[in-house]
Amino acid sequence: QALRRLRAFSTEVQRSSTGPGFGVAPLDGSAGSLAELSERAGYLPRPETFDERLKPGFRGGKALFVFFLCNAVPFTALLYYLREQREQRAQLSLLALPATAEEVAAEAVRVMRTSAACFLMQDAEAVGRSFGGALRVDPHPPEASAYVPPTEPLPLLPQVERNVVTDLFEAPTVTGLGFIHFAVSKKSPEGVAVAAGRRRGGLLYLSHTRGAYCTVSGQLSVLSDPESKRRYWKNVWAASFAPPAAPSAAPSAAPSAAETEAPPPWLSDDYMLLRLAVDEASLQAVVDGPS
């Protein structure tokens, strides 16, 4: 009876070994299942072996070279840029004063165009000070001829208002040492002096690029027409002058779209546009003192 049970168990194991996913060898010792298990064992991945021994010597030479290269290239470019700027500045600087009046006028225009600061100069009697007056201003580039504001609308587009774009086509600016436009406050001592009739003044320009400074003097005139004030207005002047007052509307009437819009800044009551008619110009080179 025990032998019958053993044979039945052996038969059950043999049947289960033929199913998928089973590789149990039968108890009767047949070699077919063992060969199959051996073939399946050959497909198992083997662990990779790494050599953990450290290699002798310095291994970061390539990374160190790339690091120095990335830092040396911008530094070399900076030195080259500073050298080029120094040579360019030496070429632009005024090495010798011009001899003729035409050369002086041309050099004065260059100094004006490259100037970083400009001052309005008036005598002591005009501004009521013992040492005279010097007010920093932001003038326009000098022009060869005086601007005459037009009174008629645009010929091709009469419904369009004049602006910066139309000024370029209608009345382009011609560079020349003739007239200079700038603005001052009516409440300033210089503005009060001009309004009182002190119409003599000058402008002092200082140019580090040319290594020189020039002084132009002449007769001052006040431009009060709205078209000239609009043409020569600069947006950076808005912080220096009080905004114009809004037009008052009737309390019973409903405000229109034109009344609700803020008036343009060049209509400020504190804005005084001056024109300097140049009749004299002097040029002087800036001499560096001992270091």
Side-chain angles (χ1 to χ4, degrees):
Q1 186 177 1
L3 183 59
R4 290 178 181 177
R5 293 179 179 177
L6 182 59
R7 288 179 178 177
F9 178 75
S10 177
T11 304
E12 185 70 20
V13 171
Q14 183 177 5
R15 291 177 180 177
S16 62
S17 63
T18 59
F22 293 92
V24 182
L27 296 178
D28 56 358
S30 62
S33 297
L34 293 177
E36 184 180 358
L37 290 175
S38 179
E39 292 177 359
R40 292 183 180 180
Y43 293 111
L44 296 177
R46 296 180 180 179
E48 298 180 1
T49 58
F50 297 95
D51 188 8
E52 298 182 356
R53 293 177 300 175
L54 298 177
K55 297 181 180 180
F58 181 68
R59 295 178 295 171
K62 184 177 181 181
L64 185 61
F65 174 75
V66 173
F67 173 77
F68 280 109
L69 183 63
C70 295
N71 287 271
V73 171
F75 185 73
T76 305
L78 178 62
L79 293 180
Y80 180 78
Y81 172 77
L82 295 178
R83 181 180 178 182
E84 290 293 329
Q85 290 295 321
R86 184 177 180 180
E87 294 178 356
Q88 184 178 4
R89 183 177 178 181
Q91 294 176 0
L92 293 176
S93 62
L94 183 62
L95 302 179
L97 291 177
T100 63
E102 291 77 9
E103 294 177 353
V104 171
E107 184 62 33
V109 173
R110 298 190 189 100
V111 172
M112 293 178 185
R113 299 183 68 89
T114 59
S115 175
C118 179
F119 299 90
L120 172 62
M121 311 295 294
Q122 287 184 305
D123 55 1
E125 185 180 358
V127 297
R129 301 172 185 172
S130 58
F131 52 86
L135 177 66
R136 184 168 183 174
V137 294
D138 184 17
H140 284 267
E143 301 178 6
S145 58
Y147 171 72
V148 179
T151 56
E152 66 278 356
L154 292 173
L156 298 179
L157 300 173
Q159 68 278 6
V160 177
E161 296 182 357
R162 286 181 170 84
N163 50 46
V164 179
V165 179
T166 59
D167 293 341
L168 296 177
F169 296 97
E170 185 181 18
T173 303
V174 180
T175 304
L177 192 58
F179 302 91
I180 303 174
H181 299 83
F182 59 96
V184 297
S185 174
K186 292 182 179 180
K187 300 178 182 179
S188 63
E190 290 76 11
V192 173
V194 172
R198 301 284 183 175
R199 300 302 175 90
R200 190 68 185 177
L203 294 175
L204 172 64
Y205 292 86
L206 178 61
S207 174
H208 297 284
T209 303
R210 302 295 297 176
Y213 63 92
C214 71
T215 304
V216 292
S217 58
Q219 194 73 14
L220 294 172
S221 58
V222 181
L223 303 181
S224 58
D225 58 285
E227 184 59 31
S228 297
K229 298 176 74 173
R230 179 205 60 80
R231 175 183 173 87
Y232 293 103
W233 172 261
K234 291 185 178 183
N235 292 330
V236 295
W237 293 349
S240 302
F241 300 99
S248 58
S252 59
S256 60
E259 294 176 353
T260 55
E261 295 181 358
W266 57 81
L267 296 180
S268 175
D269 296 334
D270 193 32
Y271 170 40
M272 177 183 286
L273 179 63
L274 299 180
R275 172 189 289 170
L276 176 65
V278 180
D279 55 15
E280 183 180 354
S282 62
L283 187 67
Q284 190 70 27
V286 177
V287 180
D288 296 335
S291 56

